[in-house]
Amino acid sequence: KIRFSKAAIFYLLIAGASAFAPAPASVKVSQLNLSVGEAAPDFALKDQNGKTVKRSSIKKPLVVYFYPADATPGCTVQANNFNEQIKDIRKTYGADVVGISGQDVESKQEFARDLGLNFSILADEDDEVRAAFGVPKALFVLPGRVTYVLDKSGVCVSVYNNMADAASHVEKATDALSELPVASNPLASIFKL
C-alpha cells in the first residue's frame, strides 16, 4: 500500500501541471551557486539508515543529486536509475552516489526500502545543504532537480539541471565520471595487471 503525504500530493499536482509547460531550451549553469571548478560545500546529513554521511570524509568521486521529494513519480524513476547503475558507478569509476531531499529520515527509510536502494539518500530537512549548493527552485515553488559530480577532492566537475527528465541524470553523471582520471593501481607495473 502506497501512502502519500499532503506535501507529496502537492508536488504531484504541481509536477503534473508542469508536464504541459514548454521545457526551456537550455538551462545556464551560471544561475547555480556551485559552479564547475569550485569546491562543493561540506555537509553532514543522516541517511536512510541513520548513518551520518559527511561529504569531506568521502575521498573518491561523488555524485550528489538533489531531488524534489521521496516517492514521487520522477524521483522514483531517478532513484531507480541510479540504483540500477550503482554497481557499475562504483566499479568502473571508483565513485559513489548520494541523493538529497528535504524529507526526514523516516521518509528516507520508507523510500529506500520500497525501492531496495543500495546507496545513501540523505535527509536535508531544513534545506540548508540545498541552499549551500544553490539548487534553484523549479516553477518558483518546487525544490529543483540538479546533479553535481565532484572529483575525489570535492571539486565540482559537472552540473546538470533538468527538472523534467529525471531519467537523464544518471547518463549525464556517468558521462562526467568518465572524464575524470582513473586512479592507477601502483602494483600494475610490477604484476602486469
Side-chain angles (χ1 to χ4, degrees):
K1 181 178 176 182
I2 298 176
R3 294 184 341 229
F4 289 101
S5 69
K6 289 179 184 175
I9 292 170
F10 173 74
Y11 290 136
L12 287 171
L13 290 172
I14 297 296
S18 69
F20 298 100
S26 67
V27 178
K28 294 183 180 176
V29 175
S30 61
Q31 69 178 320
L32 306 175
N33 287 342
L34 179 63
S35 297
V36 171
E38 296 178 341
D42 198 14
F43 59 80
L45 296 172
K46 292 208 181 287
D47 73 3
Q48 69 267 29
N49 300 312
K51 174 186 166 195
T52 299
V53 175
K54 186 170 175 64
R55 201 252 341 130
S56 60
S57 297
I58 299 170
K59 303 298 183 193
K60 57 185 167 184
L62 182 65
V63 176
V64 180
Y65 80 89
F66 289 87
Y67 62 100
D70 297 334
T72 57
C75 300
T76 299
V77 166
Q78 187 176 22
N80 278 329
N81 285 354
F82 272 112
N83 204 45
E84 289 168 4
Q85 296 297 318
I86 192 64
K87 286 182 183 175
D88 187 53
I89 288 170
R90 289 175 176 152
K91 182 178 179 183
T92 304
Y93 308 109
D96 213 343
V97 173
V98 296
I100 301 176
S101 72
Q103 294 71 49
D104 62 19
V105 172
E106 183 178 287
S107 177
K108 303 285 172 235
Q109 289 169 341
E110 188 174 339
F111 189 44
R113 183 186 63 245
D114 290 349
L115 299 182
L117 298 182
N118 294 310
F119 62 91
S120 292
I121 52 173
L122 310 178
D124 184 20
E125 293 183 58
D126 297 324
D127 286 329
E128 289 177 10
V129 176
R130 181 179 289 275
F133 273 73
V135 178
K137 291 189 179 290
L139 302 174
F140 305 104
V141 293
L142 290 176
R145 182 184 316 281
V146 179
T147 297
Y148 300 88
V149 177
L150 312 178
D151 69 11
K152 65 181 182 178
S153 301
V155 174
C156 182
V157 298
S158 175
V159 180
Y160 182 64
N161 179 8
N162 188 326
M163 182 67 169
D165 189 1
S168 65
H169 286 254
V170 176
E171 180 181 352
K172 295 298 184 180
T174 55
D175 287 350
L177 288 169
S178 72
E179 298 294 321
L180 291 175
V182 177
S184 64
N185 183 340
L187 301 176
S189 62
I190 297 170
F191 296 105
K192 305 292 183 211
L193 295 175

